[in-house]
PDB file of all heavy atoms in Angstrom:
ATOM      1  N   ILE A  12       5.687   2.359  14.017  1.00  0.00           N
ATOM      2  CA  ILE A  12       6.435   1.400  14.844  1.00  0.00           C
ATOM      3  C   ILE A  12       6.938   2.062  16.105  1.00  0.00           C
ATOM      4  O   ILE A  12       6.811   1.525  17.213  1.00  0.00           O
ATOM      5  CB  ILE A  12       7.604   0.787  14.034  1.00  0.00           C
ATOM      6  CG1 ILE A  12       7.053  -0.090  12.916  1.00  0.00           C
ATOM      7  CG2 ILE A  12       8.531  -0.011  14.930  1.00  0.00           C
ATOM      8  CD1 ILE A  12       8.097  -0.538  11.903  1.00  0.00           C
ATOM      9  N   GLY A  13       7.477   3.263  15.976  1.00  0.00           N
ATOM     10  CA  GLY A  13       8.010   3.981  17.146  1.00  0.00           C
ATOM     11  C   GLY A  13       6.914   4.321  18.148  1.00  0.00           C
ATOM     12  O   GLY A  13       7.059   4.081  19.350  1.00  0.00           O
ATOM     13  N   GLY A  14       5.801   4.844  17.665  1.00  0.00           N
ATOM     14  CA  GLY A  14       4.702   5.211  18.558  1.00  0.00           C
ATOM     15  C   GLY A  14       4.118   4.000  19.254  1.00  0.00           C
ATOM     16  O   GLY A  14       3.874   4.006  20.470  1.00  0.00           O
ATOM     17  N   PHE A  15       3.869   2.952  18.502  1.00  0.00           N
ATOM     18  CA  PHE A  15       3.323   1.726  19.102  1.00  0.00           C
ATOM     19  C   PHE A  15       4.280   1.135  20.123  1.00  0.00           C
ATOM     20  O   PHE A  15       3.868   0.737  21.211  1.00  0.00           O
ATOM     21  CB  PHE A  15       3.009   0.684  18.029  1.00  0.00           C
ATOM     22  CG  PHE A  15       2.463  -0.588  18.576  1.00  0.00           C
ATOM     23  CD1 PHE A  15       1.127  -0.667  18.916  1.00  0.00           C
ATOM     24  CD2 PHE A  15       3.277  -1.681  18.768  1.00  0.00           C
ATOM     25  CE1 PHE A  15       0.607  -1.841  19.459  1.00  0.00           C
ATOM     26  CE2 PHE A  15       2.769  -2.844  19.313  1.00  0.00           C
ATOM     27  CZ  PHE A  15       1.430  -2.934  19.642  1.00  0.00           C
ATOM     28  N   SER A  16       5.575   1.115  19.790  1.00  0.00           N
ATOM     29  CA  SER A  16       6.572   0.540  20.700  1.00  0.00           C
ATOM     30  C   SER A  16       6.649   1.303  22.014  1.00  0.00           C
ATOM     31  O   SER A  16       6.740   0.690  23.102  1.00  0.00           O
ATOM     32  CB  SER A  16       7.950   0.491  20.042  1.00  0.00           C
ATOM     33  OG  SER A  16       7.924  -0.316  18.900  1.00  0.00           O
ATOM     34  N   ILE A  17       6.610   2.620  21.946  1.00  0.00           N
ATOM     35  CA  ILE A  17       6.672   3.424  23.161  1.00  0.00           C
ATOM     36  C   ILE A  17       5.452   3.177  24.046  1.00  0.00           C
ATOM     37  O   ILE A  17       5.595   2.893  25.248  1.00  0.00           O
ATOM     38  CB  ILE A  17       6.801   4.923  22.803  1.00  0.00           C
ATOM     39  CG1 ILE A  17       8.177   5.208  22.224  1.00  0.00           C
ATOM     40  CG2 ILE A  17       6.551   5.804  24.032  1.00  0.00           C
ATOM     41  CD1 ILE A  17       8.323   6.573  21.579  1.00  0.00           C
ATOM     42  N   ILE A  18       4.276   3.244  23.463  1.00  0.00           N
ATOM     43  CA  ILE A  18       3.050   3.053  24.256  1.00  0.00           C
ATOM     44  C   ILE A  18       2.955   1.628  24.798  1.00  0.00           C
ATOM     45  O   ILE A  18       2.631   1.416  25.974  1.00  0.00           O
ATOM     46  CB  ILE A  18       1.802   3.387  23.416  1.00  0.00           C
ATOM     47  CG1 ILE A  18       1.844   4.843  22.958  1.00  0.00           C
ATOM     48  CG2 ILE A  18       0.519   3.071  24.175  1.00  0.00           C
ATOM     49  CD1 ILE A  18       1.895   5.865  24.074  1.00  0.00           C
ATOM     50  N   MET A  19       3.297   0.630  23.981  1.00  0.00           N
ATOM     51  CA  MET A  19       3.223  -0.750  24.440  1.00  0.00           C
ATOM     52  C   MET A  19       4.297  -1.010  25.503  1.00  0.00           C
ATOM     53  O   MET A  19       4.057  -1.760  26.455  1.00  0.00           O
ATOM     54  CB  MET A  19       3.371  -1.718  23.264  1.00  0.00           C
ATOM     55  CG  MET A  19       3.056  -3.148  23.619  1.00  0.00           C
ATOM     56  SD  MET A  19       1.430  -3.436  24.360  1.00  0.00           S
ATOM     57  CE  MET A  19       0.372  -3.171  22.976  1.00  0.00           C
ATOM     58  N   GLY A  20       5.466  -0.415  25.342  1.00  0.00           N
ATOM     59  CA  GLY A  20       6.493  -0.555  26.364  1.00  0.00           C
ATOM     60  C   GLY A  20       6.047   0.005  27.707  1.00  0.00           C
ATOM     61  O   GLY A  20       6.258  -0.631  28.747  1.00  0.00           O
ATOM     62  N   ILE A  21       5.436   1.183  27.701  1.00  0.00           N
ATOM     63  CA  ILE A  21       4.903   1.771  28.942  1.00  0.00           C
ATOM     64  C   ILE A  21       3.863   0.847  29.563  1.00  0.00           C
ATOM     65  O   ILE A  21       3.853   0.612  30.773  1.00  0.00           O
ATOM     66  CB  ILE A  21       4.341   3.174  28.663  1.00  0.00           C
ATOM     67  CG1 ILE A  21       5.469   4.143  28.305  1.00  0.00           C
ATOM     68  CG2 ILE A  21       3.539   3.687  29.865  1.00  0.00           C
ATOM     69  CD1 ILE A  21       4.999   5.486  27.769  1.00  0.00           C
ATOM     70  N   ALA A  22       2.968   0.323  28.722  1.00  0.00           N
ATOM     71  CA  ALA A  22       1.895  -0.552  29.231  1.00  0.00           C
ATOM     72  C   ALA A  22       2.485  -1.826  29.832  1.00  0.00           C
ATOM     73  O   ALA A  22       2.069  -2.266  30.912  1.00  0.00           O
ATOM     74  CB  ALA A  22       0.927  -0.904  28.113  1.00  0.00           C
ATOM     75  N   MET A  23       3.469  -2.431  29.165  1.00  0.00           N
ATOM     76  CA  MET A  23       4.066  -3.664  29.680  1.00  0.00           C
ATOM     77  C   MET A  23       4.826  -3.432  30.969  1.00  0.00           C
ATOM     78  O   MET A  23       4.746  -4.220  31.918  1.00  0.00           O
ATOM     79  CB  MET A  23       4.978  -4.300  28.616  1.00  0.00           C
ATOM     80  CG  MET A  23       4.240  -4.995  27.536  1.00  0.00           C
ATOM     81  SD  MET A  23       5.405  -5.906  26.484  1.00  0.00           S
ATOM     82  CE  MET A  23       4.338  -6.456  25.210  1.00  0.00           C
ATOM     83  N   ILE A  24       5.578  -2.332  31.045  1.00  0.00           N
ATOM     84  CA  ILE A  24       6.318  -2.005  32.264  1.00  0.00           C
ATOM     85  C   ILE A  24       5.329  -1.782  33.419  1.00  0.00           C
ATOM     86  O   ILE A  24       5.568  -2.236  34.542  1.00  0.00           O
ATOM     87  CB  ILE A  24       7.226  -0.775  32.048  1.00  0.00           C
ATOM     88  CG1 ILE A  24       8.387  -1.166  31.127  1.00  0.00           C
ATOM     89  CG2 ILE A  24       7.727  -0.223  33.363  1.00  0.00           C
ATOM     90  CD1 ILE A  24       9.213  -0.003  30.629  1.00  0.00           C
ATOM     91  N   THR A  25       4.227  -1.113  33.137  1.00  0.00           N
ATOM     92  CA  THR A  25       3.219  -0.879  34.171  1.00  0.00           C
ATOM     93  C   THR A  25       2.637  -2.192  34.681  1.00  0.00           C
ATOM     94  O   THR A  25       2.507  -2.396  35.903  1.00  0.00           O
ATOM     95  CB  THR A  25       2.087   0.010  33.623  1.00  0.00           C
ATOM     96  OG1 THR A  25       2.647   1.236  33.172  1.00  0.00           O
ATOM     97  CG2 THR A  25       1.032   0.283  34.675  1.00  0.00           C
ATOM     98  N   ILE A  26       2.297  -3.104  33.767  1.00  0.00           N
ATOM     99  CA  ILE A  26       1.731  -4.391  34.168  1.00  0.00           C
ATOM    100  C   ILE A  26       2.745  -5.196  34.968  1.00  0.00           C
ATOM    101  O   ILE A  26       2.406  -5.821  35.987  1.00  0.00           O
ATOM    102  CB  ILE A  26       1.240  -5.170  32.942  1.00  0.00           C
ATOM    103  CG1 ILE A  26      -0.027  -4.533  32.383  1.00  0.00           C
ATOM    104  CG2 ILE A  26       0.962  -6.642  33.270  1.00  0.00           C
ATOM    105  CD1 ILE A  26      -1.213  -4.498  33.339  1.00  0.00           C
ATOM    106  N   ILE A  27       4.006  -5.200  34.540  1.00  0.00           N
ATOM    107  CA  ILE A  27       5.047  -5.937  35.281  1.00  0.00           C
ATOM    108  C   ILE A  27       5.212  -5.342  36.663  1.00  0.00           C
ATOM    109  O   ILE A  27       5.317  -6.074  37.667  1.00  0.00           O
ATOM    110  CB  ILE A  27       6.364  -5.953  34.478  1.00  0.00           C
ATOM    111  CG1 ILE A  27       6.203  -6.842  33.243  1.00  0.00           C
ATOM    112  CG2 ILE A  27       7.504  -6.456  35.351  1.00  0.00           C
ATOM    113  CD1 ILE A  27       7.337  -6.741  32.242  1.00  0.00           C
ATOM    114  N   PHE A  28       5.202  -4.008  36.789  1.00  0.00           N
ATOM    115  CA  PHE A  28       5.314  -3.348  38.091  1.00  0.00           C
ATOM    116  C   PHE A  28       4.128  -3.737  38.986  1.00  0.00           C
ATOM    117  O   PHE A  28       4.309  -4.073  40.153  1.00  0.00           O
ATOM    118  CB  PHE A  28       5.385  -1.826  37.906  1.00  0.00           C
ATOM    119  CG  PHE A  28       5.340  -1.076  39.198  1.00  0.00           C
ATOM    120  CD1 PHE A  28       6.453  -1.042  40.027  1.00  0.00           C
ATOM    121  CD2 PHE A  28       4.174  -0.412  39.583  1.00  0.00           C
ATOM    122  CE1 PHE A  28       6.404  -0.334  41.228  1.00  0.00           C
ATOM    123  CE2 PHE A  28       4.136   0.290  40.781  1.00  0.00           C
ATOM    124  CZ  PHE A  28       5.247   0.334  41.609  1.00  0.00           C
ATOM    125  N   LEU A  29       2.910  -3.702  38.433  1.00  0.00           N
ATOM    126  CA  LEU A  29       1.738  -4.068  39.211  1.00  0.00           C
ATOM    127  C   LEU A  29       1.763  -5.553  39.590  1.00  0.00           C
ATOM    128  O   LEU A  29       1.306  -5.928  40.681  1.00  0.00           O
ATOM    129  CB  LEU A  29       0.457  -3.746  38.435  1.00  0.00           C
ATOM    130  CG  LEU A  29       0.149  -2.267  38.253  1.00  0.00           C
ATOM    131  CD1 LEU A  29      -1.008  -2.070  37.294  1.00  0.00           C
ATOM    132  CD2 LEU A  29      -0.122  -1.594  39.594  1.00  0.00           C
ATOM    133  N   TRP A  30       2.280  -6.371  38.708  1.00  0.00           N
ATOM    134  CA  TRP A  30       2.402  -7.826  38.966  1.00  0.00           C
ATOM    135  C   TRP A  30       3.330  -8.044  40.159  1.00  0.00           C
ATOM    136  O   TRP A  30       3.025  -8.827  41.058  1.00  0.00           O
ATOM    137  CB  TRP A  30       2.951  -8.486  37.714  1.00  0.00           C
ATOM    138  CG  TRP A  30       2.985  -9.979  37.716  1.00  0.00           C
ATOM    139  CD1 TRP A  30       2.745 -10.831  38.750  1.00  0.00           C
ATOM    140  CD2 TRP A  30       3.262 -10.816  36.587  1.00  0.00           C
ATOM    141  NE1 TRP A  30       2.865 -12.138  38.325  1.00  0.00           N
ATOM    142  CE2 TRP A  30       3.186 -12.153  37.020  1.00  0.00           C
ATOM    143  CE3 TRP A  30       3.571 -10.558  35.274  1.00  0.00           C
ATOM    144  CZ2 TRP A  30       3.410 -13.224  36.162  1.00  0.00           C
ATOM    145  CZ3 TRP A  30       3.795 -11.643  34.430  1.00  0.00           C
ATOM    146  CH2 TRP A  30       3.708 -12.931  34.864  1.00  0.00           C
ATOM    147  N   ILE A  31       4.459  -7.357  40.190  1.00  0.00           N
ATOM    148  CA  ILE A  31       5.416  -7.498  41.287  1.00  0.00           C
ATOM    149  C   ILE A  31       4.804  -6.962  42.598  1.00  0.00           C
ATOM    150  O   ILE A  31       4.996  -7.551  43.665  1.00  0.00           O
ATOM    151  CB  ILE A  31       6.734  -6.763  40.944  1.00  0.00           C
ATOM    152  CG1 ILE A  31       7.449  -7.513  39.816  1.00  0.00           C
ATOM    153  CG2 ILE A  31       7.620  -6.653  42.161  1.00  0.00           C
ATOM    154  CD1 ILE A  31       8.616  -6.746  39.206  1.00  0.00           C
ATOM    155  N   LYS A  32       4.084  -5.859  42.487  1.00  0.00           N
ATOM    156  CA  LYS A  32       3.494  -5.210  43.651  1.00  0.00           C
ATOM    157  C   LYS A  32       2.356  -6.025  44.257  1.00  0.00           C
ATOM    158  O   LYS A  32       2.164  -6.061  45.465  1.00  0.00           O
ATOM    159  CB  LYS A  32       3.007  -3.823  43.268  1.00  0.00           C
ATOM    160  CG  LYS A  32       2.568  -2.973  44.403  1.00  0.00           C
ATOM    161  CD  LYS A  32       2.204  -1.590  43.930  1.00  0.00           C
ATOM    162  CE  LYS A  32       1.641  -0.778  45.078  1.00  0.00           C
ATOM    163  NZ  LYS A  32       1.167   0.521  44.637  1.00  0.00           N
ATOM    164  N   ASN A  33       1.579  -6.697  43.428  1.00  0.00           N
ATOM    165  CA  ASN A  33       0.399  -7.414  43.876  1.00  0.00           C
ATOM    166  C   ASN A  33       0.519  -8.886  43.503  1.00  0.00           C
ATOM    167  O   ASN A  33       0.007  -9.338  42.486  1.00  0.00           O
ATOM    168  CB  ASN A  33      -0.855  -6.813  43.225  1.00  0.00           C
ATOM    169  CG  ASN A  33      -2.137  -7.365  43.778  1.00  0.00           C
ATOM    170  OD1 ASN A  33      -2.136  -8.282  44.587  1.00  0.00           O
ATOM    171  ND2 ASN A  33      -3.246  -6.810  43.341  1.00  0.00           N
ATOM    172  N   ARG A  34       1.153  -9.639  44.328  1.00  0.00           N
ATOM    173  CA  ARG A  34       1.424 -11.067  44.045  1.00  0.00           C
ATOM    174  C   ARG A  34       0.159 -11.941  44.194  1.00  0.00           C
ATOM    175  O   ARG A  34       0.132 -13.054  43.690  1.00  0.00           O
ATOM    176  CB  ARG A  34       2.520 -11.594  44.957  1.00  0.00           C
ATOM    177  CG  ARG A  34       3.841 -10.901  44.696  1.00  0.00           C
ATOM    178  CD  ARG A  34       4.903 -11.947  44.565  1.00  0.00           C
ATOM    179  NE  ARG A  34       6.184 -11.315  44.306  1.00  0.00           N
ATOM    180  CZ  ARG A  34       6.907 -11.583  43.254  1.00  0.00           C
ATOM    181  NH1 ARG A  34       6.494 -12.459  42.374  1.00  0.00           N
ATOM    182  NH2 ARG A  34       8.057 -11.003  43.064  1.00  0.00           N
ATOM    183  N   LYS A  35      -0.867 -11.432  44.868  1.00  0.00           N
ATOM    184  CA  LYS A  35      -2.081 -12.228  45.065  1.00  0.00           C
ATOM    185  C   LYS A  35      -2.813 -12.491  43.746  1.00  0.00           C
ATOM    186  O   LYS A  35      -3.456 -13.510  43.591  1.00  0.00           O
ATOM    187  CB  LYS A  35      -3.032 -11.535  46.031  1.00  0.00           C
ATOM    188  CG  LYS A  35      -2.532 -11.510  47.455  1.00  0.00           C
ATOM    189  CD  LYS A  35      -3.526 -10.795  48.336  1.00  0.00           C
ATOM    190  CE  LYS A  35      -2.979 -10.687  49.750  1.00  0.00           C
ATOM    191  NZ  LYS A  35      -3.898  -9.939  50.616  1.00  0.00           N
ATOM    192  N   GLN A  36      -2.707 -11.553  42.831  1.00  0.00           N
ATOM    193  CA  GLN A  36      -3.443 -11.675  41.570  1.00  0.00           C
ATOM    194  C   GLN A  36      -2.474 -11.853  40.395  1.00  0.00           C
ATOM    195  O   GLN A  36      -2.700 -11.341  39.304  1.00  0.00           O
ATOM    196  CB  GLN A  36      -4.305 -10.438  41.355  1.00  0.00           C
ATOM    197  CG  GLN A  36      -5.390 -10.323  42.401  1.00  0.00           C
ATOM    198  CD  GLN A  36      -6.216  -9.083  42.211  1.00  0.00           C
ATOM    199  OE1 GLN A  36      -5.709  -8.051  41.819  1.00  0.00           O
ATOM    200  NE2 GLN A  36      -7.492  -9.190  42.519  1.00  0.00           N
ATOM    201  N   ARG A  37      -1.426 -12.647  40.610  1.00  0.00           N
ATOM    202  CA  ARG A  37      -0.403 -12.800  39.567  1.00  0.00           C
ATOM    203  C   ARG A  37      -0.953 -13.477  38.313  1.00  0.00           C
ATOM    204  O   ARG A  37      -0.499 -13.193  37.219  1.00  0.00           O
ATOM    205  CB  ARG A  37       0.811 -13.526  40.110  1.00  0.00           C
ATOM    206  CG  ARG A  37       0.560 -14.929  40.534  1.00  0.00           C
ATOM    207  CD  ARG A  37       1.841 -15.582  41.031  1.00  0.00           C
ATOM    208  NE  ARG A  37       1.563 -16.965  41.331  1.00  0.00           N
ATOM    209  CZ  ARG A  37       1.713 -17.513  42.495  1.00  0.00           C
ATOM    210  NH1 ARG A  37       2.173 -16.807  43.502  1.00  0.00           N
ATOM    211  NH2 ARG A  37       1.429 -18.772  42.695  1.00  0.00           N
ATOM    212  N   ILE A  38      -1.934 -14.351  38.451  1.00  0.00           N
ATOM    213  CA  ILE A  38      -2.527 -14.997  37.258  1.00  0.00           C
ATOM    214  C   ILE A  38      -3.208 -13.970  36.381  1.00  0.00           C
ATOM    215  O   ILE A  38      -3.101 -14.012  35.160  1.00  0.00           O
ATOM    216  CB  ILE A  38      -3.517 -16.101  37.689  1.00  0.00           C
ATOM    217  CG1 ILE A  38      -2.779 -17.357  38.110  1.00  0.00           C
ATOM    218  CG2 ILE A  38      -4.482 -16.460  36.574  1.00  0.00           C
ATOM    219  CD1 ILE A  38      -2.055 -18.054  36.980  1.00  0.00           C
ATOM    220  N   ALA A  39      -3.909 -13.003  36.990  1.00  0.00           N
ATOM    221  CA  ALA A  39      -4.596 -11.963  36.218  1.00  0.00           C
ATOM    222  C   ALA A  39      -3.585 -11.135  35.423  1.00  0.00           C
ATOM    223  O   ALA A  39      -3.787 -10.850  34.244  1.00  0.00           O
ATOM    224  CB  ALA A  39      -5.404 -11.071  37.155  1.00  0.00           C
ATOM    225  N   PHE A  40      -2.500 -10.746  36.086  1.00  0.00           N
ATOM    226  CA  PHE A  40      -1.484  -9.955  35.396  1.00  0.00           C
ATOM    227  C   PHE A  40      -0.746 -10.760  34.341  1.00  0.00           C
ATOM    228  O   PHE A  40      -0.325 -10.224  33.320  1.00  0.00           O
ATOM    229  CB  PHE A  40      -0.510  -9.336  36.409  1.00  0.00           C
ATOM    230  CG  PHE A  40      -1.164  -8.280  37.250  1.00  0.00           C
ATOM    231  CD1 PHE A  40      -1.301  -8.448  38.628  1.00  0.00           C
ATOM    232  CD2 PHE A  40      -1.655  -7.131  36.694  1.00  0.00           C
ATOM    233  CE1 PHE A  40      -1.914  -7.487  39.395  1.00  0.00           C
ATOM    234  CE2 PHE A  40      -2.286  -6.146  37.449  1.00  0.00           C
ATOM    235  CZ  PHE A  40      -2.408  -6.334  38.810  1.00  0.00           C
ATOM    236  N   PHE A  41      -0.621 -12.076  34.545  1.00  0.00           N
ATOM    237  CA  PHE A  41      -0.030 -12.927  33.527  1.00  0.00           C
ATOM    238  C   PHE A  41      -0.883 -12.890  32.258  1.00  0.00           C
ATOM    239  O   PHE A  41      -0.365 -12.757  31.152  1.00  0.00           O
ATOM    240  CB  PHE A  41       0.087 -14.371  34.044  1.00  0.00           C
ATOM    241  CG  PHE A  41       0.328 -15.373  32.949  1.00  0.00           C
ATOM    242  CD1 PHE A  41       1.601 -15.502  32.398  1.00  0.00           C
ATOM    243  CD2 PHE A  41      -0.711 -16.147  32.438  1.00  0.00           C
ATOM    244  CE1 PHE A  41       1.829 -16.416  31.365  1.00  0.00           C
ATOM    245  CE2 PHE A  41      -0.478 -17.060  31.414  1.00  0.00           C
ATOM    246  CZ  PHE A  41       0.798 -17.195  30.892  1.00  0.00           C
ATOM    247  N   TRP A  42      -2.209 -12.989  32.429  1.00  0.00           N
ATOM    248  CA  TRP A  42      -3.095 -12.987  31.256  1.00  0.00           C
ATOM    249  C   TRP A  42      -3.063 -11.623  30.545  1.00  0.00           C
ATOM    250  O   TRP A  42      -3.121 -11.558  29.325  1.00  0.00           O
ATOM    251  CB  TRP A  42      -4.520 -13.345  31.656  1.00  0.00           C
ATOM    252  CG  TRP A  42      -4.697 -14.832  31.840  1.00  0.00           C
ATOM    253  CD1 TRP A  42      -4.918 -15.476  33.010  1.00  0.00           C
ATOM    254  CD2 TRP A  42      -4.636 -15.815  30.828  1.00  0.00           C
ATOM    255  NE1 TRP A  42      -5.009 -16.821  32.788  1.00  0.00           N
ATOM    256  CE2 TRP A  42      -4.830 -17.069  31.458  1.00  0.00           C
ATOM    257  CE3 TRP A  42      -4.435 -15.798  29.449  1.00  0.00           C
ATOM    258  CZ2 TRP A  42      -4.840 -18.273  30.734  1.00  0.00           C
ATOM    259  CZ3 TRP A  42      -4.439 -17.001  28.750  1.00  0.00           C
ATOM    260  CH2 TRP A  42      -4.649 -18.216  29.394  1.00  0.00           C
TER     261      TRP A  42
END
Side-chain angles (χ1 to χ4, degrees):
I12 292 169
F15 179 80
S16 298
I17 290 169
I18 299 301
M19 191 54 71
I21 292 169
M23 284 188 186
I24 289 169
T25 302
I26 289 299
I27 291 170
F28 174 74
L29 291 171
W30 188 351
I31 291 169
K32 189 176 175 185
N33 188 355
R34 295 229 180 237
K35 290 180 184 177
Q36 296 178 324
R37 64 179 185 240
I38 282 292
F40 291 116
F41 165 78
W42 282 110

